[in-house]
Amino acid sequence: RAALERYLNRTAAHQSLRVDPDFREFLELDAELPKANQTSTLSGKNVMKIISKVGDRVTSYTTKMEETDQWFEEKTVKTENLDIQLRKLLLATEALVFYRKSLTGHTYTVAKSLAALGTTEENTKLSAALDQLSDVYMKVEKVHEEQAKDDFFVLSELIHDYIGIVGAVKDVLNERVKAWQAWQGVQKDLNRKREAKVKAELAGKLEKVNELKTSIGETERQLDMAQENFEKISRTIKKEYEIFEVKKNRDFKQSIVTYLEKMLKAQENLVTHWERFLPEIKQMEL
């Protein structure tokens, strides 16, 4: 539920997606959501239409794109590296969450064991000291429990979200490649028709020549559209990528500052619990 809420907030914050009819339909839908195989209008791919619909074309041409724009070359490498780094960081934060939860459980066990030991101790003062120590460990256990929640919700979940976002960025960059391939496919189709027209003219097949002229005209219009779509996708990606980087930097800065403040507060609470306990023990005469 929390992840869905974060996703909806991010979508609603986007200038174009917030007015997308599919997004508004999703928010206003009172009935149950249709099954996955019936959600074509609500699927994540539909969000990609602000980039372009060219990528949905049948790309029978598998020409490898030779990147000529240094900006895209740099951002593609940067995005791949960011994805790798985030996945490694996620593993580390998941290990931290597991460690903190284990520490919470072990601290609780110690607290219960001290309490049980205090009830069996015949020395009244020592029994009271053990009870107080048990109370301190129970308070410490609560602090570790809150730390584990902060490890997960503030840090780990942020990284997990951005792994998904970076994956979407990689998909968007791939859509540009598909648009280029579609453009080159139309270009190859046009060249083939022009060659066929020349052969038909040499063979004196006037009817075939007229058919090819009409077809070439249509293909030339398709070529112009494919080129325009590719250039539009490139411009849109550059704009959206800059927005993505600004939001990424802001989100990580805010989350890390919040996380550090919570960890500092937790350490202060731990110190307070122990500082209150030690003077009482020192004054106690066993």
Side-chain angles (χ1 to χ4, degrees), residues 61-167:
Y61 301 93
T62 57
T63 306
K64 183 178 180 180
M65 180 179 181
E66 295 293 336
E67 186 59 72
T68 57
D69 191 322
Q70 185 178 359
W71 187 93
F72 278 101
E73 185 175 0
E74 292 176 354
K75 297 304 180 183
T76 299
V77 173
K78 181 178 180 180
T79 303
E80 289 290 345
N81 291 336
L82 179 60
D83 185 45
I84 294 172
Q85 292 168 358
L86 286 175
R87 291 181 185 278
K88 290 181 179 179
L89 186 57
L90 180 62
L91 291 175
T93 55
E94 287 177 341
L96 175 62
V97 172
F98 176 79
Y99 159 77
R100 195 90 70 177
K101 287 182 177 179
S102 298
L103 179 60
T104 301
H106 293 320
T107 305
Y108 178 80
T109 301
V110 171
K112 287 298 183 180
S113 298
L114 288 170
L117 183 61
T119 58
T120 60
E121 177 57 48
E122 296 181 356
N123 187 307
T124 305
K125 292 184 178 180
L126 180 57
S127 176
L130 290 172
D131 287 339
Q132 289 183 15
L133 184 58
S134 174
D135 290 340
V136 172
Y137 268 98
M138 288 298 293
K139 294 176 182 178
V140 170
E141 182 264 342
K142 294 300 181 183
V143 173
H144 290 327
E145 184 179 18
E146 287 301 315
Q147 285 182 300
K149 291 179 180 178
D150 293 334
D151 291 338
F152 181 76
F153 289 109
V154 180
L155 197 59
S156 184
E157 283 292 86
L158 171 71
I159 298 168
H160 184 272
D161 287 350
Y162 264 93
I163 287 176
I165 294 173
V166 170

Side-chain angles (χ1 to χ4, degrees), residues 30-41:
D30 293 330
E32 292 185 5
L33 291 174
K35 294 182 178 179
N37 59 0
Q38 299 174 351
T39 57
S40 58
T41 59

Side-chain angles (χ1 to χ4, degrees), residues 208-264:
K208 184 67 173 177
V209 170
N210 291 331
E211 290 179 2
L212 288 170
K213 281 184 179 179
T214 303
S215 180
I216 288 172
E218 178 62 28
T219 305
E220 286 175 342
R221 286 190 292 273
Q222 292 178 2
L223 180 65
D224 291 338
M225 291 176 59
Q227 181 178 358
E228 182 181 351
N229 282 328
F230 172 74
E231 293 172 351
K232 181 181 179 181
I233 286 176
S234 299
R235 291 193 302 270
T236 305
I237 289 178
K238 287 185 176 181
K239 176 183 176 181
E240 293 295 328
Y241 198 98
E242 296 299 329
I243 295 174
F244 156 72
E245 287 198 311
V246 170
K247 290 184 177 180
K248 172 178 65 68
N249 294 339
R250 182 195 62 197
D251 288 346
F252 270 89
K253 179 181 178 180
Q254 291 178 348
S255 296
I256 291 174
V257 169
T258 299
Y259 179 76
L260 292 176
E261 289 175 345
K262 287 179 176 291
M263 291 300 105
L264 179 60

Side-chain angles (χ1 to χ4, degrees), residues 14-29:
H14 192 280
Q15 185 176 1
S16 299
L17 295 180
R18 72 176 63 168
V19 295
D20 185 274
D22 293 330
F23 179 61
R24 297 183 65 176
E25 180 182 354
F26 173 80
L27 294 177
E28 297 171 359
L29 187 65

